[in-house]
Amino acid sequence: MSETILSVKNLAVDFKTDDGVVRAVKGVSFDIPKGKTVGLVGESGSGKSVSSLAVMGLIPNPPGEVTSGEILFDGQDLLKVSDAEMRRVRGNRISMIFQEPMTSLNPVFTVGNQICESLILHQGLDKRAAKQKAIELLDQVGIPNPSERVDSYPHEMSGGQRQRVMIAMAIACEPELLIADEPTTALDVTIQKQILELMADLQKKYGMSVLFITHDLGVIADIADDVVVMYRGDIVEKGNTEQIFQKPQHPYTKGLLACRPSLESNPQRLPMVSDFMTDEGEEIPNDIEATKGDKFVRSISEEENPIILQLKGVQKHFPLQKTLFGKVTKWVKAVDGVTLNVRKGRTLGLVGESGCGKTTLGRTVLRLIEPTGGQVIYDGKDITALDPNEMREMRKRMQIIFQDPYASLNPRMTVGAAIMEPMVIHNLGGSKAERVKMAGDLMERVGLSRMMLNRYPHEFSGGQRQRICIARALAVKPDFIICDESVSALDVSVQAQILNLLLDLQEEYGLTYIFISHDLAVVKFISDEVAVMYNGQVVEMNDAIGIYENPQHDYTKKLLSAIPKGIPKTMLQQ
Amino acid sequence: MKVASISSTAIDTKSKQDELEKGTSLWADAASRMKKKPVAVVSFWFVAFYLGLALLCALDLIFTSYSVVNNDIAYQAPTWAHWFGTDVFGRDVLARAAHGTVTSLTVGFFGAGIAMFIGTFFGAIGGYFGGKIDDLVVWLYTTVDTIPGILLVVSFSFVMGPSLKTVCLAIGLTAWVGHCRIIRGEYIKHRDQDYVQGAAALGAGHIRRIFLHILPNVFHLILINFSLGFVGAIKSEVILSFLGLGVEPGTPSWGVMINDAKQELFRGVWWGLAAATIFMFFLVLAVNLFNSELRDALDPKLKNK
C-alpha cells in the first residue's frame, strides 16, 4: 500500500525581482502515497502554490526558476523530461483544479467543449464519443440534467457548479494525481462541503492521489491523510493528519492550530503564532490546550449597553428590468425589511453566504448606498432623513473597515496622508504638526511604527494595511464601526492579531461594532449577538453562544453543519 | 501569481530606522524603472534637446538670421555656410526649421493641453456622477465626434483667421473627444472602488473624491494621452499649414515649409522639404518612443516583468 506516486526531493525555486533574487521554495521534500490525499498547508508567501506549480512544470520562467531538486512521478524525473513529454503528462496523468472557478473556465466556450478538449487531445476520442463522455462526467460530478447542461456556458452556472465542471475536466482522463490549489476557498461553506464530499467520492472511485493545497486547517482535517506544513518556503512539519492535529511538534504548527477561532470554544482572546514562536523561529513554551473549552461571555446590561442603533424595516431594492417607459418590472431585493438592534459597546455579528445582502445592509446603514425603505436610527436620530451637512457630521461617529486592504487605501497617497485626511475633512487637530502627531499615535496604537507615515500602501503587507485602515477609521474618534469582512482576506495568523486588536480597541474606546462575515467561527468569537441573514432577510438572531448551541432556523442549522470541524475524522470517531 | 506577494514581503524586512522613513510613491517607482531603460533615456534626451532648442530660438539667442532676406542667394543648395541651403527669399533653411520647432512645440503643448483639460473635466464629472450628467457629456462628445475633425479645425481657422492661437484652439477644441471617453471609463471603474467608498464614509465630498482621490489614480493615463495628443497636434499643425490655414504668413513652420516644397520640388529644390521632414521625424519618433516606455513604466500590470 505504501507505494509512492509522487516524490519531491530537495526542491528549490527562485524568483528574480527588482529587489534581487527571492528564494520562494527552499529545498523541500515530501511524498504522495498512491491513493492518498496529502494536504499542503501554509499561509500566503509560504511557497505552497509555487511547489505545486513546479510539479506541473508551470513555473513562469522568467522570473521563476527551479534551481535544484527532483520531482519523481512514477519513477520519472519531471524536471528532466522534454516539453512535449511534459504536455502528455499534464492534464492526462497529473491534472489540476484552481481556486477561482469564475476565471479558470473560458467564458466563450461551452463547458462541454472545454471538457472534450482534453479527451480529444489525450485520449484520442472523436467528437461524439468525447461529448458522450463529457455528459457522463458531468453526471458524476453532480450536475443536474447533464445532457442539457453540457451545452451551457460558464456564466450560466453558479460558482459551485463551475467548480464541479473544473473537477470534471480534471478527472476526464482519469489522472493518477490530482493537484487541487485552494479549490474551495472562493466558495460558500455549504457549497464547500458538497465539493469536498464529491472530491472524496471521486478519489475512492478512481483511486487517485490528491495533493490538496489550502490555508484552511479545518478543510485539511476533513480531507487529508497526511499533512505537510510550509512556512516561508520551508517544510516545518509533516506527518499523519491525526498526529499533526493531536501532537503538533513545531511551534508554528501549534500557533496555526491555536489561532483559528473554533465553534467549540470561546476564548476571551485568540492565541497568536507569536505566543508560540519568536520572529526568528525560536519556540516559546506555551500550552496549546490552555484556551480550549473556554466559554467567555461578556455581560450586557441595560444601563451600560443601551440600544444605540436601530434598524426598522430597512430595504434596498435594485431595479433589474425596466419597460420602455421606465417602469420597473423586476426588482432585486438585496435587503428586504431588516429590523435589528445594536447595543452600545457590544458587537453584533452579521453572518450569511455570498449574495445574502449583508454587505449591502452594512453600506445602507452608513448611507453609502441609499436605502429604498425603512429607518436607520442612530442615537435617536433617523439617519435616512439627514441632509448632507448633518450626514457629514454623523460620519464622524460612524465608520467602516472594508474587506480588501489592497483596494481600500488610495495607492497614490502616503498612509500618513490617508490617516490625516479625515482629520482635515472634519477639522480635527489644529495644525499640521498636531495632525502628524495624532496620526503617529494612531499608527502606534494599531501596532505599527510612526516612522512609517511617509510610506505608500504598496510597501505594506495585507495585515499591516488592514491595521492602517483601522487607524484611519479611528482618526475621527468614532463610536460605531462596521467591519465588512475585515479579516476575510487575511491569513489565519494575521486574522487572529487583527481580531484581538479590534477587541482591545473596543475595550479602550467603548466602540460598538457590526461585524459582517461569512465565517461563522470568526463571528462567534468576536460577537456578543449574532444575526443570520438569508435572501435579504434576518432569519434568526440570538446571543453568540445561543445561536451555535441551539439554532432554530433550518438555514442556520444547515450553515453550522457545513463548517469543517477542524478535527480529523479518525479522531471524531474515537 | 505569487511573485507580487513575495516581493512585498521582501520590502517588509527592510531595516527600521529611527528617522521618519521615506516612502517610494508609484511615481518615483516608475521614474526609477524608466531610468534603467536605454530607449527611455535616449528618447527623453531627444525631447529635452528639442525643448532646449525651442527655448533658445524663442529667446532669439541662436539662429537669429532666420528672417534675414537676401534675394541674391535665393534657392542656394546646401553649403558649409547654409547646411540646408536657402529658400526663395535667400533665408537660411536650417534656421527656419529650427524656429519651426517653436511653432510645433507651442501647438503641441497648448493644443494637447487644452484637449486634456476639457477631456479630463468632462470625462471626470460624466463618469463620476453618471445619470443625467453623464448623458449630457456623452451627447456632447458623440455630437462633436460625428463631425469630421479636420472639417471642424478648418472651419475654426476660417472663422478666426490664421494664427498660432487659432491653431492651438482649433486642435484643442476638437481633440478632446477620445481622451474624454477614456477618462470617463476610468472614473466609472474607480468611483465604486473601496478606497473611494472609504473616503465617502469618512465624510469626503464629491469634489474631494473626484480631484484628490480618483484624479491621481488616472493621472498616468492623462500623461500618456497628453504625449499622444502632443504628436497628434504637431501633425495637425503641419497639415493645417500645408492647407494654408495654419500660422500667420512669415512665421516659420514645418508645415509651411512642406507646403512651399510643392512648387520647389519641380525646380530640384529638395532641401526645404528635407529639413522640415528630418526635424519633424526625430521629434515625433522621440515623443512616441518615450510615450511607449512611459506607458510600460506606469502600467501596474507590467510590473516585475
Side-chain angles (χ1 to χ4, degrees):
Chain A
M1 248 336 265
S2 63
E3 238 180 309
T4 302
I5 183 83
L6 185 86
S7 177
V8 174
K9 284 181 183 156
N10 204 18
L11 177 75
V13 184
D14 281 356
F15 279 92
K16 287 191 187 70
T17 70
D18 288 351
D19 306 313
V21 176
V22 177
R23 177 148 283 195
V25 177
K26 304 171 183 167
V28 302
S29 309
F30 61 92
D31 294 334
I32 302 177
K34 232 174 209 169
K36 295 276 182 188
T37 300
V38 173
L40 190 57
V41 201
E43 303 189 305
S44 48
S46 64
K48 57 187 194 305
S49 289
V50 174
S51 307
S52 69
L53 287 174
V55 172
M56 286 293 270
L58 291 175
I59 298 278
N61 184 7
E65 199 189 348
V66 177
T67 45
S68 75
E70 283 183 326
I71 298 172
L72 297 175
F73 175 67
D74 212 5
Q76 189 183 20
D77 189 353
L78 292 182
L79 292 175
K80 296 215 175 82
V81 302
S82 69
D83 278 0
E85 263 175 283
M86 194 64 214
R87 271 200 298 277
R88 276 198 294 280
V89 173
R90 214 185 280 146
N92 190 19
R93 299 184 64 195
I94 306 180
S95 58
M96 194 157 181
I97 311 172
F98 296 94
Q99 172 174 357
E100 196 52 74
M102 303 297 161
T103 51
S104 45
L105 287 170
N106 189 336
V108 299
F109 292 110
T110 64
V111 296
N113 265 330
Q114 295 182 59
I115 299 173
C116 290
E117 195 182 346
S118 70
L119 288 169
I120 294 168
L121 202 67
H122 292 299
Q123 310 241 300
L125 295 185
D126 65 41
K127 264 192 176 169
R128 274 183 59 191
K131 188 161 181 184
Q132 199 51 46
K133 183 86 199 282
I135 293 170
E136 275 169 39
L137 284 164
L138 285 179
D139 190 35
Q140 274 183 24
V141 296
I143 302 269
N145 284 333
S147 50
E148 281 168 37
R149 294 312 292 256
V150 74
D151 292 321
S152 300
Y153 286 91
H155 72 264
E156 296 172 304
M157 302 189 134
S158 69
Q161 284 179 326
R162 275 184 245 193
Q163 202 57 301
R164 284 170 191 271
V165 171
M166 279 301 297
I167 293 173
M169 282 168 71
I171 61 166
C173 299
E174 300 182 13
E176 289 140 84
L177 174 65
L178 178 67
I179 299 176
D181 189 357
E182 306 254 9
T184 57
T185 305
L187 304 173
D188 285 326
V189 271
T190 47
I191 312 287
Q192 164 170 295
K193 191 183 179 206
Q194 295 166 9
I195 297 286
L196 291 178
E197 280 166 2
L198 172 69
M199 285 182 67
D201 282 352
L202 290 170
Q203 183 187 13
K204 234 177 261 165
K205 195 166 171 187
Y206 291 103
M208 285 183 298
S209 307
V210 177
L211 178 61
F212 197 101
I213 298 155
T214 182
H215 66 282
D216 189 341
L217 282 157
V219 172
I220 281 289
D222 267 11
I223 197 162
D225 300 300
D226 292 332
V227 179
V228 175
V229 184
M230 283 191 79
Y231 177 63
R232 296 190 184 163
D234 268 324
I235 290 178
V236 294
E237 190 163 1
K238 57 185 167 186
N240 177 279
T241 307
E242 202 181 313
Q243 194 189 327
I244 296 241
F245 275 79
Q246 234 162 11
K247 287 201 180 68
Q249 296 301 316
H250 194 275
Y252 177 70
T253 320
K254 287 181 191 169
L256 212 53
L257 280 168
C259 71
R260 292 179 57 239
S262 85
L263 290 182
E264 277 67 47
S265 64
N266 214 28
Q268 186 171 3
R269 282 173 67 84
L270 280 174
M272 294 185 280
V273 171
S274 59
D275 295 335
F276 294 86
M277 189 174 74
T278 62
D279 264 358
E280 288 74 41
E282 279 165 47
E283 180 159 10
I284 303 170
N286 202 327
D287 188 6
I288 194 170
E289 302 293 323
T291 56
K292 274 203 178 148
D294 269 14
K295 292 257 154 64
F296 176 75
V297 182
R298 283 192 295 194
S299 64
I300 293 178
S301 68
E302 268 321 312
E303 300 89 61
E304 281 191 31
N305 313 108
I307 290 170
I308 192 160
L309 175 73
Q310 274 182 298
L311 307 189
K312 287 185 180 168
V314 174
Q315 280 184 347
K316 177 65 197 181
H317 294 181
F318 293 99
L320 188 66
Q321 244 177 37
K322 282 182 186 176
T323 62
L324 195 60
F325 306 104
K327 193 169 174 277
V328 180
T329 51
K330 234 185 187 174
W331 294 94
V332 176
K333 296 180 178 173
V335 176
D336 197 17
V338 169
T339 301
L340 280 178
N341 293 330
V342 185
R343 289 184 179 274
K344 188 170 192 258
R346 291 290 174 257
T347 304
L348 173 78
L350 203 56
V351 274
E353 299 189 308
S354 48
C356 73
K358 55 189 192 302
T359 292
T360 310
L361 179 65
R363 293 188 184 199
T364 312
V365 170
L366 292 184
R367 271 181 72 188
L368 292 174
I369 301 173
E370 294 290 333
T372 45
Q375 284 180 310
V376 179
I377 298 166
Y378 185 78
D379 208 6
K381 273 188 207 152
D382 183 2
I383 290 177
T384 54
L386 296 181
D387 70 36
N389 280 332
E390 291 170 320
M391 194 61 219
R392 184 167 298 185
E393 274 305 300
M394 204 52 155
R395 295 212 183 281
K396 249 198 286 194
R397 306 186 55 187
M398 309 173 79
Q399 281 301 312
I400 185 165
I401 301 164
F402 293 101
Q403 167 173 7
D404 186 355
Y406 292 85
S408 51
L409 286 169
N410 189 339
R412 309 243 175 220
M413 250 189 199
T414 63
V415 300
I419 295 173
M420 285 186 276
E421 188 184 21
M423 303 180 195
V424 176
I425 295 171
H426 295 291
N427 259 325
L428 303 172
S431 63
K432 178 141 194 251
E434 202 170 322
R435 285 187 194 125
V436 171
K437 191 186 165 302
M438 283 163 70
D441 292 345
L442 283 167
M443 286 287 274
E444 284 180 354
R445 184 63 203 84
V446 297
L448 296 168
S449 157
R450 67 189 322 134
M451 303 306 157
M452 298 173 175
L453 278 179
N454 271 354
R455 288 218 215 157
Y456 285 83
H458 66 98
E459 298 174 285
F460 292 90
S461 68
Q464 288 177 320
R465 280 188 229 196
Q466 203 58 298
R467 287 172 193 269
I468 294 162
C469 292
I470 294 171
R472 186 170 63 158
L474 291 176
V476 289
K477 303 195 171 72
D479 35 37
F480 170 72
I481 297 180
I482 292 183
C483 304
D484 186 1
E485 299 267 13
S486 302
V487 296
S488 309
L490 306 173
D491 283 324
V492 261
S493 63
V494 181
Q495 169 178 297
Q497 296 166 7
I498 300 289
L499 288 173
N500 284 341
L501 174 65
L502 287 172
L503 282 181
D504 292 346
L505 294 171
Q506 181 164 44
E507 204 73 359
E508 196 174 325
Y509 300 112
L511 297 170
T512 308
Y513 293 138
I514 287 186
F515 194 93
I516 301 172
S517 180
H518 67 283
D519 188 331
L520 284 89
V522 168
V523 167
K524 179 177 185 237
F525 166 70
I526 199 159
S527 310
D528 300 284
E529 291 176 290
V530 175
V532 180
M533 270 191 92
Y534 183 59
N535 276 347
Q537 289 173 329
V538 170
V539 294
E540 188 169 355
M541 191 167 165
N542 202 344
D543 60 77
I545 304 283
I547 209 156
Y548 291 93
E549 290 185 349
N550 189 17
Q552 297 298 317
H553 196 273
D554 285 345
Y555 177 72
T556 316
K557 290 178 190 163
K558 188 175 151 208
L559 212 53
L560 283 169
S561 69
I563 299 177
K565 295 280 175 295
I567 303 168
K569 286 198 182 86
T570 45
M571 279 167 76
L572 278 179
Q573 284 155 9
Q574 282 164 12
Chain B
M1 262 325 296
K2 290 280 159 206
V3 187
S5 64
I6 289 163
S7 68
S8 73
T9 49
I11 292 165
D12 286 340
T13 53
K14 270 185 190 165
S15 64
K16 281 178 191 149
Q17 292 151 353
D18 271 357
E19 70 233 54
L20 206 58
E21 287 169 29
K22 226 176 124 43
T24 326
S25 72
L26 296 178
W27 294 112
D29 190 40
S32 78
R33 263 182 293 155
M34 292 279 280
K35 277 183 202 150
K36 288 184 203 155
K37 298 268 189 68
V39 176
V41 175
V42 171
S43 56
F44 171 79
W45 283 112
F46 258 92
V47 177
F49 166 76
Y50 271 101
L51 286 174
L53 179 70
L55 188 71
L56 292 176
C57 287
L59 296 173
D60 254 336
L61 294 173
I62 51 170
F63 295 122
T64 44
S65 61
Y66 75 96
S67 55
V68 177
V69 177
N70 183 354
N71 284 325
D72 297 342
I73 53 167
Y75 288 137
Q76 213 175 56
T79 60
W80 282 114
H82 305 283
W83 290 5
F84 275 100
T86 57
D87 68 0
V88 58
F89 299 117
R91 297 175 298 194
D92 183 48
V93 170
L94 179 62
R96 290 198 73 74
H99 276 262
T101 314
V102 182
T103 311
S104 277
L105 290 186
T106 312
V107 172
F109 270 110
F110 288 98
I114 293 169
M116 283 313 105
F117 188 78
I118 302 175
T120 306
F121 180 75
F122 282 120
I125 61 166
Y128 178 82
F129 288 108
K132 289 270 186 298
I133 296 176
D134 190 33
D135 288 349
L136 193 70
V137 168
V138 172
W139 174 84
L140 192 65
Y141 75 61
T142 39
T143 308
V144 173
D145 211 20
T146 48
I147 306 163
I150 197 76
L151 191 70
L152 262 183
V153 175
V154 167
S155 48
F156 258 118
S157 303
F158 264 122
V159 174
M160 297 181 59
S163 78
L164 198 57
K165 222 184 334 178
T166 312
V167 176
C168 292
L169 268 179
I171 292 169
L173 291 177
T174 50
W176 59 275
V177 173
H179 179 64
C180 179
R181 210 178 262 140
I182 291 167
I183 295 299
R184 175 178 164 267
E186 283 300 305
Y187 265 77
I188 291 173
K189 199 172 85 191
H190 278 272
R191 71 174 177 210
D192 291 326
Q193 287 199 353
D194 279 352
Y195 76 89
V196 181
Q197 293 265 306
L202 292 167
H206 294 305
I207 302 290
R208 200 177 179 89
R209 277 180 261 164
I210 295 176
F211 295 109
L212 246 74
H213 282 275
I214 307 182
L215 193 63
N217 279 292
V218 300
F219 197 76
H220 63 288
L221 285 174
I222 298 178
L223 211 64
I224 290 162
N225 269 306
F226 176 78
S227 61
L228 279 175
F230 188 81
V231 174
I234 290 173
K235 289 198 226 158
S236 295
E237 186 270 330
V238 172
I239 294 168
L240 279 181
S241 298
F242 181 77
L243 294 174
L245 295 163
V247 294
E248 294 140 73
T251 314
S253 145
W254 300 335
V256 173
M257 289 167 76
I258 295 170
N259 185 24
D260 291 345
K262 266 191 303 192
Q263 281 97 46
E264 295 167 354
L265 278 178
F266 288 114
R267 312 168 55 173
V269 179
W270 50 267
W271 42 88
L273 180 67
T277 317
I278 289 169
F279 267 77
M280 191 169 129
F281 173 79
F282 282 106
L283 177 61
V284 171
L285 182 70
V287 175
N288 273 339
L289 287 177
F290 186 73
N291 176 46
S292 119
E293 291 295 324
L294 188 69
R295 186 198 316 242
D296 288 355
L298 291 176
D299 191 341
K301 273 175 269 165
L302 292 174
K303 231 183 150 178
N304 283 322
K305 284 273 160 70

